[in-house]
Amino acid sequence: MLVIALACVVGYVANQVLQAKSSLEAAQASVTQIQSQLSSLDVSALSASATDFAGHAHDAATYTNDPLYKLAEIVPVVGPNLTAVRELSGSLDSIGSQVLLPVVDFSKTLTPASLKPVDGKLNVALLTSGDATLASADAAIVANVATISAIPTDGTVSQISSAKTQLVTALGKAHTEIGTVRSTVATVQSMLGMNGPRHYVLAFLNNAETTGLGGGPASLSMLTVDNGAFALTDHASSQDFPLTDGPVRDIDQNVKNIFGTGVVSTLNWSTARPDFPTAALTIQAFWQKYKGGTVDGVISIDPIALSYLLKATGPMTLTSGEQITADNAVPLLLHDIYLRFPPLDIETGSDAFFKDAAATVFSGITSTSADPQTLIDAVNKGIDSGNILAWSPIPAEQKLIASSPLQGVLPTDNAKSTLVGTYFRDVTTSKADYWIQSHVDLSTDVCTNPTNPTFTETVTLHSTMTVAESETLPRFVVGGNFGGTQVSTEVYIYGPVGASTGEQVAGTTSVSAAVRSSASDLGRPVARFLVNLKPGETNTVTASFSGVGGVYGPPVIQTTPMMNTTTTALTAAGCK
């Protein structure tokens, strides 16, 4: 009978071990799924996998926490293995219930609807709650690492000691990742004014007077953020910033050689260089010098991005009763408004209109009932197209911005993509880029000849302005410098990183173009041209570059965000 009883006990314990092994293997399979779903941010699938993991881990802990199982732990040789499995199962159960499930439950609350402003305020309580959840999860991870590390595995089979090592390593990585996320949350909390009000200059760029980043900041507003609540607290136009006081800050002489001293002494030219941190530092300096106060960051947006947002929100009604819509925002803000006033009143009249439009649209966006995901998609479209940019003087915040196209900087190498950029600057002192159409054609052998690649870019500009328009429209619109007789545009072609400038040709279809110079900026060769277009005229300039041997990603064309989208053509044999 004793033998039979012992056999039954052994069989029972063996069954518990097998059940525990099966549950642990299922939990391991869930971990693999969880890692994939975390990378893809698939919250729905992640929730199911986390629940599976927690259930399997709990089952394993239950099977190994049985009295007969514990009794078997006193058996020599076998016992230490059983003890180690039980303690590892208990820690996995703790991780499932104290770490994974709480974090996943919180992630379910991060929906587009919960992230949307309501009555001009974000739900910042989400950040506080999320940080508390992560802190609790991290504390549980640290405690479990200590517990698991103390589990004796001497004399156990190799699979158990290996599982212990893998679990400690995985938890260590999770601890590091949670620390990174909590640091990001703390940065976002500061940016949203949860540690005191923050002040950001909103620069509204005018694409009808083109500069490298899209247009000069014709209208500016101060955005104050206090504990997640947004408000416009001040406003200025470019006319509020003198042109004759000299530079508002120091800048590298090479930048002044390329773009002129106006890049730091004329607000409208602050965005000439295709590098938003350069522009933002200058805009910050202008505001602090002439308006006062502290600028905690700069955000730029143009009417093109605004049209994307209005498509998501629907039309908005201005103080005058007029509606601004996705369809009319660009022509209204970049052309039509200038024709509503007598020539002497254009600047003051349009400035007042822009101030009203900024306040109306800002209020509408921060209190809209639009579908949250549609609104988020519209914002992302503006960011990806370069029509929305941001900068912060605080390193931790700028580091966060630098993880997206918001930063508005050129790549520092060619590894991911081989970017060739074309940027324009109006020197007509006009709003005449309303009539400018542009095309960029890039030819390269970089995918078949990475040891000595060549790049040839041809830029074509065409003016659709008629002679009648040039003669009858206000000089403020068609150009103060030339009175409508021509539109003058500087063209800056930036070659790949590390390349050198080759042949430059100007005026292949018209005599009214010239090579200005070649230079180097941001680690890239720069070919500079001046193109003058009479009404109806077309002009073409061409620059070539030679690259050195190295790693080259697929060729990419980048251009200034123009009112009339620049068309592009890429010829690159061997490229996918």
Side-chain angles (χ1 to χ4, degrees):
M1 291 295 294
L2 179 59
V3 173
I4 294 174
L6 286 174
C8 289
V9 169
V10 170
Y12 177 81
V13 171
N15 181 67
Q16 295 295 90
V17 171
L18 289 174
Q19 295 289 350
K21 178 177 180 293
S22 177
S23 295
L24 291 173
E25 289 174 345
Q28 177 61 39
S30 296
V31 168
T32 302
Q33 293 174 335
I34 287 168
Q35 290 173 333
S36 173
Q37 291 152 3
L38 280 171
S39 299
S40 62
L41 297 178
D42 188 343
V43 175
S44 177
L46 177 62
S47 176
S49 296
T51 301
D52 286 345
F53 172 90
H56 294 312
H58 182 71
D59 288 344
T62 300
Y63 289 129
T64 58
N65 207 34
D66 183 273
L68 289 178
Y69 184 101
K70 289 183 178 179
L71 180 63
E73 292 179 18
I74 65 175
V75 177
V77 182
V78 175
N81 289 279
L82 297 177
T83 300
V85 170
R86 174 174 57 79
E87 292 180 348
L88 285 171
S89 298
S91 288
L92 285 175
D93 186 25
S94 174
I95 292 165
S97 61
Q98 298 179 24
V99 178
L100 199 53
L101 288 180
V103 171
V104 170
D105 285 343
F106 173 73
S107 70
K108 295 177 185 177
T109 68
L110 298 177
T111 64
S114 71
L115 298 174
K116 190 185 75 171
V118 177
D119 296 328
K121 183 174 183 178
L122 289 172
N123 181 11
V124 292
L126 275 175
L127 290 174
T128 303
S129 174
D131 188 58
T133 299
L134 291 172
S136 177
D138 196 38
I141 286 174
V142 171
N144 275 283
V145 167
T147 298
I148 295 167
S149 297
I151 296 174
T153 54
D154 291 342
T156 64
V157 296
S158 61
Q159 292 94 327
I160 292 176
S161 59
S162 176
K164 170 186 170 179
T165 300
Q166 291 177 9
L167 187 53
V168 168
T169 301
L171 290 176
K173 291 180 179 178
H175 170 65
T176 300
E177 290 170 358
I178 286 178
T180 300
V181 173
R182 291 194 69 199
S183 176
T184 299
V185 170
T187 299
V188 173
Q189 286 176 326
S190 295
M191 295 173 75
L192 293 178
M194 295 177 67
N195 301 317
R198 303 297 295 274
H199 306 283
Y200 305 105
V201 170
L202 287 179
F204 300 97
L205 306 190
N206 190 324
N207 309 79
E209 189 171 357
T210 303
T211 63
L213 292 171
S219 179
L220 305 97
S221 294
M222 175 57 72
L223 170 64
T224 298
V225 186
D226 188 1
N227 199 34
F230 299 88
L232 295 184
T233 54
D234 202 354
H235 184 81
S237 78
S238 58
Q239 304 304 313
D240 295 320
F241 302 94
L243 304 178
T244 56
D245 287 0
V248 293
R249 71 180 185 93
D250 292 331
I251 198 169
D252 185 84
Q253 183 61 43
N254 183 60
V255 177
K256 289 190 286 187
N257 291 342
I258 296 173
F259 298 100
T261 57
V263 74
V264 284
S265 60
T266 302
L267 180 65
N268 280 343
W269 277 14
S270 61
T271 50
R273 191 188 196 201
D275 181 75
F276 190 64
T278 299
L281 280 164
T282 303
I283 293 169
Q284 178 195 46
F286 265 107
W287 187 281
Q288 291 181 162
K289 179 175 181 178
Y290 294 106
K291 298 290 288 183
T294 299
V295 173
D296 298 308
V298 178
I299 302 167
S300 74
I301 185 170
D302 63 20
I304 298 169
L306 179 58
S307 71
Y308 301 155
L309 298 176
L310 286 167
K311 189 171 184 179
T313 64
M316 296 183 185
T317 304
L318 304 176
T319 303
S320 63
E322 179 179 10
Q323 282 197 329
I324 183 169
T325 70
D327 293 330
N328 73 10
V330 172
L332 174 61
L333 295 173
L334 297 181
H335 176 68
D336 298 354
I337 186 60
Y338 300 117
L339 307 184
R340 294 186 177 184
F341 308 101
L344 294 178
D345 297 333
I346 290 178
E347 288 189 59
T348 56
S350 59
D351 286 344
F353 182 87
F354 292 147
K355 180 179 180 179
D356 178 35
T360 298
V361 172
F362 176 80
S363 176
I365 290 174
T366 55
S367 60
T368 182
S369 59
D371 174 66
Q373 187 59 57
T374 302
L375 187 60
I376 291 173
D377 291 344
V379 172
N380 286 334
K381 183 177 181 181
I383 293 172
D384 291 339
S385 61
N387 298 100
I388 301 175
L389 302 169
W391 167 86
S392 171
I394 301 170
E397 297 177 9
Q398 181 61 18
K399 183 178 179 180
L400 189 60
I401 293 170
S403 64
S404 85
L406 263 178
Q407 65 177 327
V409 302
L410 300 183
T412 56
D413 59 42
N414 304 312
K416 187 175 181 181
S417 63
T418 305
L419 185 147
V420 179
T422 299
Y423 311 101
F424 306 108
R425 179 168 69 171
D426 173 79
V427 290
T428 316
T429 312
S430 70
K431 302 298 181 285
D433 286 310
Y434 174 82
W435 289 275
I436 295 296
Q437 295 179 343
S438 51
H439 176 77
V440 172
D441 193 324
L442 173 64
S443 297
T444 177
D445 61 355
V446 67
C447 293
T448 56
N449 181 26
T451 58
N452 186 30
T454 59
F455 306 83
T456 300
E457 184 159 289
T458 298
V459 180
T460 302
L461 295 177
H462 172 66
S463 172
T464 63
M465 184 184 296
T466 65
V467 173
E469 287 172 323
S470 71
E471 293 175 345
T472 59
L473 291 175
R475 289 173 63 91
F476 183 85
V477 174
V478 297
N481 286 346
F482 305 106
T485 59
Q486 68 180 34
V487 178
S488 187
T489 305
E490 289 178 330
V491 180
Y492 300 84
I493 304 178
Y494 278 61
V497 173
S500 57
T501 306
E503 184 181 20
Q504 298 177 60
V505 179
T508 56
T509 59
S510 167
V511 297
S512 206
V515 177
R516 296 289 295 275
S517 69
S518 61
S520 178
D521 186 34
L522 301 169
R524 298 169 178 270
V526 183
R528 301 175 60 221
F529 301 90
L530 179 65
V531 176
N532 297 315
L533 299 175
K534 296 177 181 178
E537 190 176 38
T538 299
N539 215 316
T540 302
V541 297
T542 300
S544 63
F545 305 95
S546 297
V548 296
V551 177
Y552 289 90
V556 172
I557 299 172
Q558 184 183 83
T559 65
T560 289
M562 300 286 282
M563 177 179 172
N564 302 306
T565 303
T566 300
T567 58
T568 62
L570 176 62
T571 303
C575 296
K576 294 183 179 180

